[in-house]
Each structure stands twice: as structure tokens, then as C-alpha cells.
Amino acid sequence: MLTAIIALTLLALILGLLLGFASVKFKVEGDPIVEQIDKLLPQTQCGQCSFAGCRPYAEAIAAGEADINRCPPGGEATIQALADLLDVEPKPLDEECGVEKPKMLAVIDEQRCIGCTLCIQACPVDAILGAAKHMHTVIADECTGCELCLEPCPVDCIDMLEVAQNPNTWRWPDPSHLQLERGGRS
Amino acid sequence: MTQPLGSFPGGLKLRGHKKRSTQTPIRRTPLAKQLILPLQQHIGAAAVPIVEVGDKVLKGQRIARAEGHVSVCLHAPSSGTVVAIDEQAIPHPSGLSAACITIETDGEDKWAERHPVKGFQDMTPHEIRQIIRDAGIVGLGGAGFPSFIKLNPGIHHTVESLILNGAECEPYITCDDMLMRERADGILDGVEIMLHALNAQEVLLAIEDNKSQAISSMELALAARPHLTQTKIAVIPTRYPTGGEKQIIQVVTGKEVPTNGLPIDIGIVCHNMGTAYAVGRAINHGEPLISRIVTVTGTDVTHAGNFETLFGTPISALLEFAETKRQPDEPFILGGPMMGFNLSGDNLPVTKTANCILVGVEDAAEKAEPLPCIRCGDCASACPASLLPQQLYWHARAKDFDQTRDYNLFDCIECGCCDYVCPSKIPLVSYFRFAKTEIMNQERERKKSDLARERFETRQARMEREQREKEERQRQRKAALAASKAKKEQDAAAETSSAEDKEN
Ligand code: SF4
Ligand code: SF4
Ligand code: SF4
Ligand code: SF4
């Protein structure tokens, strides 16, 4: 009787330790699929997908509650990448959410800015620099073009400009769209 | 002389059309009134101006400094006044503008003080590289990679072979050919300096066998330097694209540069003949890179030839000097018929990488609507990089860019051999260029969205923390309030009770 109790206690102890060890060693860091989906979203946090941001949308896709074609800033390329990841057919962007626009950048008219800091509070990526009662500026490299700072500005001094292309970011056109326009090659 | 040890797969035998531009010696292009100098004429970060509008500059004076590691300086090609620092049209397939310094020349062509080096043998490789960087020297074969970086093998590598690329395999182009014919000695000056900087075991001057005059002039110059025992001329078969870096290494040494690898990984460094000449001028004469030899040729050019041209000279002025049948604003090709691209615009300047201006190609294919791929496999047999262009095309067309990567898209050197042989006239290279820039763009976007996510998450965390702190403060205030209230009540109670006591 006593040996049986000791044996069982020992067994329980060993198994418990094993389980405890396994839970530490094979700990799941968040949901890997959500993580992967979130990596493909543009992180604009604009909410056009009808979710509160990119991560909530990623969670909804992972849970099968939302379609993959609801992110206008990501556009065709993001839909393609999501379709690839989840092994489903790509589909055109849901027009209810918006249309794919060229990349934009917020610019504050420094003459008109009254330094109210409302835009700073609105910007989800801390891309606006400035102190109270001093004019503000947008850090061009960090602005995602989400337009969330436009609404709160009381004097309408923020404009969205198209991001200008330069020779280093320029892309060769898709040849299937241009016909008979090549030359230079014999 | 040594025999080639290997060969590369595929490739083409093309008509050279080289005689057209080798009948007259190298000529000097007249000084233009205005020189337009893009700040980025090399691979890497654009140079940063160190002059201001209105400044007087001398020939060879530095006007922009290198920014970051992969960058080189820029110099005034002639004396004059800086009249603008702004965006100007540049010779780029996009047709876009970029930051340029514009100099109005004063016609005096007056040099700044030069500091030639006496006895480079006493300098360390590091000092030599520094001068080469300050002199603004980049690979003059076409890519424009800063040369000082390719003269630094790093402490973990020894250089077995230094190869001087004199293949010039693309039809029509003859600037390296003429340089070897006329300035062989100057090239060897640079080769000796490169040899010293790299401490290479052997030097191979690789020249295609269709350039007999260049070969004999290089032989003559080499014979006059008996101390260069490790330097040999390698005559290689004429075949397109032998001049590709990986291809010439394969031909001359029989070794293959691994995918995603660099020549230095197998102990080899490769430089262009024109670059060697520029290195010699920079060290021995103290002259920065301010001009280059440009081939102007093609069926519509009256006096085709090679022209030593200051950077910034408008291409239209060069074409005028060579006399062409071209009408203003008609397009021309920058580079050769296989790898070059169409440009138009009369104010585009000659830059460090402009090796050839081509106006009118003799056997130009008539433009035809591409037909469907018939899976003949001709493109794969022609590819010098052993790629499968048909598969690459398929995936690039479907915008399945991950697949194009798996098929080694970035090994494609855009030589155009596949285009050339395709019976369906599919513009394969255009698809590959398209796919490459799309992939690079996706990578930039991914980096940007990663940054945005990071910033968003830190902001979230900060706001949560602030919220918590606020709540905490509120709680504390409430607690303090409650406590003081309780105390007051207590005091009041005590007072009343003591009062009552007294009354009693
Ligand atoms: S629409 Fe796209 S970018 Fe905007 S919040 Fe949704 S997932 Fe993010
Ligand atoms: S600056 Fe405006 S548009 Fe740019 S990221 Fe911030 S809120 Fe969005
Ligand atoms: S262009 Fe690219 S794919 Fe075509 S033959 Fe040349 S290396 Fe091969
Ligand atoms: S050469 Fe042209 S037709 Fe033939 S397999 Fe290649 S792409 Fe297709």
C-alpha cells in the first residue's frame, strides 16, 4: 500500500515536471498565423477595413471572420500576398472599403499651423513632431499616409501630397500593359 | 599570353559593327557652355554638395562629398561658376529628374592645384583607396560601382587574380578598344597601383580576339615593364556577353562565382580597363575623374568615333560635334544595342557610366506584337547565366514574384540573349526588369510597414502606460481624499466628544 502511494506520487511529480518543462519550452508566442498575416498588412492603421487597425483585421482574417480583400492601402499586392499565404484565390479589392490610391504623404502648412497638438494625438505612428503652440512638421519617412490627422486639425492646414517618385524608387512598367513600345534592342 | 581556361554556357555570336567608330583617333569634345552634374552618377548614396550657387570653381575642384560608405565625391570638370543646384533631367530610363549641380564654364579651363603622388609603392592600400574615393572613381564599364570598395579585399581574403576586363563584347561600343590602342601605358600605370593595393598574385588583361590592335599595343606597353612578371594578356574568344563580370571570370580562370556570391569569394577581383586608366591619372597626376571616353556611333552618325568628353556635357552637344542625321528631340540609345535603353531629351548630360551613344541600329528587329511562348527552350540555351527565362517570364507575367526569385531572377544580367533568340519576339528582359524593380519595391514597403508597426506598438504601449499611470494617480488621489475626509470626520467626532466631555 505505502509503496503504491509513493510510486504514484513520484509518477505524478515526474509527469508534472515534464509538462511544466514542455509548456515553457514549446510556448506559443501569440498566434503565429495572426503574426504572419499582420506582417503582410501595410500597418497604416487607417481603419478602412472596418477594423480598429491592422492587427485586429489580421485576427479577423485568421478567425475566418473577414475576407482578404478589405485593405485599400495594401491593394492588389497585399491581396496577392495574403492569398499566397492562406492558399486561397485572390479576389479584387472590396469597393466598400475604398480604392487603391497612389502613396500619399501628409504635409503641414507651417504658416497656418497654430500648434494645437491635435494631429500629434491622432497620428498612430508618432510621425508628427512639434510642441504646444509651436508649428508642427511631418517626418516624411515615417508618415504612412493614413489621413487620420486631417480630421482633427481645426484650421485645415494638413494636405496629402502624392509621394514623388525618384530614379531610385522608380519601377519598370509592366510589359504586358505596353505594346509595341519597345526599342533599343536589336 | 595565356590561354582561356573555360567558357560560359549560351551566349551569342553577334556582328560587331566596331569598325564604324575606330577609324579616327580619340577626339576631344569641345567645352560646353553649361555642365550639368547629377549628384548620383554611381551605385550608392548621392554625393552632398559642398558649394553654393554663385561660387567660382576651378577644374578638378571637389564640389560634392561622398555620403556614407558606398559613395564617391564629385568634381568640377572645368572652371566656371555654379549657377544652379536643383533638379534636372538625367539620363535614366525613367525619364525622371534628380538633384544636379550646374556649372557655367568660363572658357579658361583653369585647373585647381593638383597633388600627384610620387612613389605610390610607399603608400598603404588604405591611403590609395582613400585617394581613389576622393577622386570620384567608379567602374567605367557601365555599372558605376565605387572602385575603392572593389580594391578592398578585406582581411579574410587573398586575391589570387586581378582581371582587367577589356572584353567590350557588346556590338558598336569601342571606347575601351580605343583606350587600349592609344593609352596602353596609362592603363598599365593604373594596373600597377591596383596590383599594389590588392597584393594580387597574378594580373590578367583579358581582351577579345577581335581587337588585334589593342592586343598588340598592350603587349608592347607590357614588354616595356619587365618587372610586371605576374601580369599577362589573356586573349579570349569574341562572344557575347563575355564582358559580363561572372562570364569573363569563367572564361579566363575556369572558376564560377556562386549565386549571391562575389568574385572575391573565390579570390578574384575584376576591374574595367577605363577604370584602371582613371586610377593611374588620379594617383600619378592628381587628376580626379572629370571626363571619360564616349563612343558615338550608329547608322545615323556621320563622323562616328570616340570622344573624350567632360562630365556634364549635354549629349546633344556631343551628337552635334559628331554630326548626326538625328532631329532635335529624337530618341537615341544610351549604351549598346543589347543592354542599352532609349532616351530622348536634348539637355541630358554625359555621366560617369555613359559608355556609348547609339543613333540608328543597322539590323534592328522590326517591332512586332509578341506571340505566345511555344516552349521551344531556345531562350534557356542562349542564357549565359544558366537560367530558365521561359519560367521566369511565366511567373513575372503572373506577378508571382516569389517564384521568380526561386528561379534566381537576380542572377539575370539583363544581357538580352534570350530576347534575341526568342522566335515569338517576347520582350523577356522587359519582364525581368519589371519583376526586379517590383520585388525591390515590395522590400522597401515591407521595411516601411515594419517600421510603422514598431512605432505603432511603442505608441500603444506608451499610451497604455500613461493610462495606467493616470488611473493610478486618480486612485491615489481618491484614497488620499478619502483618508483626509475620514481623518476630518474623526477629528470632528473627537472634537464633539471632547466638547461633550467638557460639557459634562
Ligand atoms: S485597411 Fe489596411 S492599412 Fe488600414 S487598418 Fe485595415 S489593414 Fe491596416
Ligand atoms: S502624419 Fe498624418 S497621415 Fe501621416 S501617419 Fe501620421 S496621421 Fe497618418
Ligand atoms: S537576359 Fe537574363 S535570362 Fe535572358 S539570357 Fe541574359 S541572363 Fe539569361
Ligand atoms: S525562346 Fe521564346 S518561345 Fe521559346 S521557350 Fe523561350 S520564351 Fe518561349
Side-chain angles (χ1 to χ4, degrees):
Chain A
M1 179 66 187
L2 195 70
T3 40
I5 290 176
I6 293 176
L8 276 178
T9 320
L10 261 176
L11 199 70
L13 204 74
I14 292 170
L15 282 178
L17 273 176
L18 252 167
L19 273 175
F21 177 70
S23 76
V24 172
K25 168 117 194 176
F26 304 109
K27 188 171 171 219
V28 185
E29 287 268 359
D31 189 345
I33 253 294
V34 173
E35 212 73 26
Q36 280 175 31
I37 296 173
D38 193 37
K39 267 216 145 38
L40 298 177
L41 298 175
Q43 305 302 320
T44 305
Q45 320 293 359
C46 62
Q48 290 182 72
C49 51
S50 79
F51 293 88
C54 301
R55 181 134 194 136
Y57 178 41
E59 280 160 6
I61 296 178
E65 284 160 9
D67 232 329
I68 58 167
N69 61 344
R70 303 187 59 85
C71 172
E76 200 191 329
T78 298
I79 297 173
Q80 180 88 31
L82 286 171
D84 237 31
L85 175 72
L86 303 167
D87 202 19
V88 294
E89 278 300 306
K91 42 178 102 176
L93 182 68
D94 192 338
E95 276 169 26
E96 262 180 35
C97 303
V99 284
E100 187 172 356
K101 281 190 287 193
K103 291 265 168 287
M104 301 292 240
L105 172 74
V107 180
I108 297 179
D109 182 345
E110 296 176 359
Q111 299 301 311
R112 281 190 288 155
C113 173
I114 53 169
C116 67
T117 75
L118 288 173
C119 58
I120 298 190
Q121 293 164 38
C123 177
V125 291
D126 284 339
I128 306 179
L129 212 69
K133 304 221 177 76
H134 290 281
M135 51 138 196
H136 300 349
T137 30
V138 175
I139 308 168
D141 275 348
E142 282 163 10
C143 171
T144 61
C146 68
E147 303 189 2
L148 291 178
C149 52
L150 300 190
E151 259 281 316
C153 178
V155 291
D156 259 343
C157 72
I158 308 178
D159 285 315
M160 300 302 294
L161 297 187
E162 208 172 305
V163 176
Q165 278 202 328
N166 67 49
N168 293 321
T169 57
W170 176 80
R171 291 173 276 163
W172 285 90
D174 182 351
S176 53
H177 293 330
L178 16 118
Q179 282 153 357
L180 285 185
E181 274 211 40
R182 73 201 181 105
R185 214 158 267 289
S186 65
Chain B
M1 246 197 256
T2 65
Q3 288 301 308
L5 292 171
S7 63
F8 59 91
L12 298 171
K13 197 114 203 127
L14 296 174
R15 275 187 62 200
H17 302 285
K18 306 254 187 188
K19 282 222 177 69
R20 194 184 282 278
S21 54
T22 53
Q23 300 310 305
T24 41
I26 298 171
R27 279 166 284 171
R28 226 179 255 278
T29 312
L31 181 62
K33 281 209 181 63
Q34 273 204 343
L35 302 172
I36 302 166
L37 301 145
L39 290 168
Q40 188 184 20
Q41 303 185 31
H42 50 264
I43 291 177
V48 178
I50 52 172
V51 290
E52 276 167 28
V53 174
D55 283 1
K56 293 247 180 289
V57 291
L58 293 172
K59 185 185 180 84
Q61 180 183 330
R62 194 180 307 166
I63 54 173
R65 63 170 167 82
E67 170 76 3
H69 180 62
V70 187
S71 185
V72 292
C73 300
L74 186 65
H75 305 80
S78 185
S79 57
T81 313
V82 176
V83 291
I85 301 177
D86 58 1
E87 302 252 317
Q88 298 280 343
I90 57 161
H92 188 272
S94 64
L96 291 170
S97 302
C100 296
I101 297 179
T102 306
I103 294 174
E104 201 158 271
T105 56
D106 57 16
E108 288 175 27
D109 212 29
K110 190 161 173 271
W111 270 99
E113 203 181 318
R114 281 164 281 182
H115 303 280
V117 170
K118 303 247 180 317
F120 64 85
Q121 290 89 346
D122 301 330
M123 297 182 92
T124 64
H126 175 76
E127 287 167 332
I128 289 179
R129 284 196 293 273
Q130 207 52 46
I131 298 180
I132 290 171
R133 181 179 201 236
D134 289 348
I137 298 177
V138 301
L140 296 180
F145 190 74
S147 300
F148 76 95
I149 297 175
K150 276 171 81 181
L151 286 172
N152 188 356
I155 42 169
H156 300 299
H157 295 285
T158 47
V159 181
E160 256 167 63
S161 323
L162 163 63
I163 296 175
L164 268 293
N165 189 341
E168 204 165 54
C169 58
E170 195 164 352
Y172 290 96
I173 309 176
T174 56
C175 54
D176 286 348
D177 185 1
M178 293 308 286
L179 188 75
M180 290 187 279
R181 290 189 200 190
E182 295 185 18
R183 303 183 192 175
D185 215 48
I187 294 175
L188 290 183
D189 279 350
V191 170
E192 285 202 37
I193 295 161
M194 289 177 160
L195 176 64
H196 177 67
L198 288 167
N199 197 14
Q201 286 161 26
E202 62 166 357
V203 183
L204 295 160
L205 311 171
I207 310 169
E208 274 189 346
D209 59 11
N210 64 350
K211 300 177 193 38
S212 49
Q213 283 191 53
I215 293 169
S216 46
S217 114
M218 290 298 282
E219 270 173 345
L220 208 69
L222 192 57
R225 302 190 187 211
H227 58 283
L228 285 181
T229 47
Q230 65 288 75
T231 305
K232 298 182 192 75
I233 291 173
V235 177
I236 55 178
T238 302
R239 185 168 185 81
Y240 181 80
T242 304
E245 190 170 67
K246 291 187 176 184
Q247 283 67 36
I248 204 163
I249 289 172
Q250 233 172 327
V251 171
V252 175
T253 67
K255 292 189 210 163
E256 220 174 304
V257 180
T259 296
N260 299 326
L262 292 172
I264 190 65
D265 298 336
I266 53 169
I268 294 171
V269 174
C270 209
H271 282 281
N272 165 270
M273 290 286 180
T275 313
Y277 180 75
V279 166
R281 297 304 298 180
I283 303 278
N284 296 349
H285 303 269
E287 287 175 11
L289 186 66
I290 52 170
S291 66
R292 68 161 295 143
I293 295 168
V294 187
T295 306
V296 179
T297 184
T299 47
D300 290 346
V301 181
T302 319
H303 301 295
N306 283 280
F307 301 86
E308 185 159 27
T309 309
L310 294 177
F311 298 138
T313 305
I315 290 175
S316 55
L318 179 55
L319 289 176
E320 223 165 85
F321 185 55
E323 290 182 32
T324 63
K325 296 201 204 90
R326 171 181 172 273
Q327 299 301 311
D329 280 324
E330 253 176 19
F332 53 85
I333 296 170
L334 180 67
M338 299 295 287
M339 311 251 270
F341 47 84
N342 271 330
L343 286 179
S344 49
D346 268 0
N347 236 351
L348 299 171
V350 169
T351 62
K352 293 180 182 180
T353 50
N355 53 357
C356 178
I357 315 284
L358 189 51
V359 192
V361 179
E362 197 169 300
D363 29 22
E366 76 282 19
K367 289 177 179 174
E369 190 72 44
L371 298 170
C373 167
I374 55 167
R375 299 182 175 271
C376 62
D378 286 359
C379 49
S381 351
C383 177
S386 308
L387 301 176
L388 297 170
Q390 176 201 332
Q391 252 74 341
L392 283 171
Y393 159 64
W394 219 246
H395 295 306
R397 201 190 152 102
K399 301 193 187 147
D400 209 342
F401 299 125
D402 283 346
Q403 288 281 341
T404 61
R405 275 191 146 176
D406 293 345
Y407 279 95
N408 293 329
L409 173 68
F410 282 91
D411 274 0
C412 167
I413 58 169
E414 300 175 18
C415 64
C417 290
C418 49
D419 264 26
Y420 190 87
V421 298
C422 176
S424 293
K425 300 273 166 262
I426 300 173
L428 294 161
V429 182
S430 305
Y431 277 98
F432 304 157
R433 285 173 166 170
F434 160 67
K436 282 183 185 177
T437 47
E438 285 294 319
I439 290 174
M440 294 193 277
N441 187 56
Q442 282 182 2
E443 240 152 53
R444 266 194 306 273
E445 305 256 288
R446 193 155 311 152
K447 274 208 195 105
K448 210 171 164 188
S449 71
D450 281 348
L451 179 77
R453 182 184 307 105
E454 208 177 282
R455 294 187 68 84
F456 177 62
E457 281 168 1
T458 13
R459 180 185 162 90
Q460 292 290 93
R462 195 188 66 224
M463 287 182 17
E464 266 166 38
R465 198 187 60 229
E466 280 171 4
Q467 185 67 28
R468 259 202 319 277
E469 282 169 5
K470 206 165 138 198
E471 277 165 15
E472 176 70 13
R473 271 199 306 276
Q474 262 169 9
R475 211 177 47 75
Q476 276 173 4
R477 216 175 304 139
K478 257 190 204 149
L481 218 67
S484 70
K485 218 169 155 187
K487 193 161 179 279
K488 256 185 207 154
E489 269 168 21
Q490 223 172 29
D491 289 354
E495 234 160 73
T496 45
S497 70
S498 68
E500 271 167 23
D501 279 354
K502 269 181 198 164
E503 262 170 42
N504 285 342

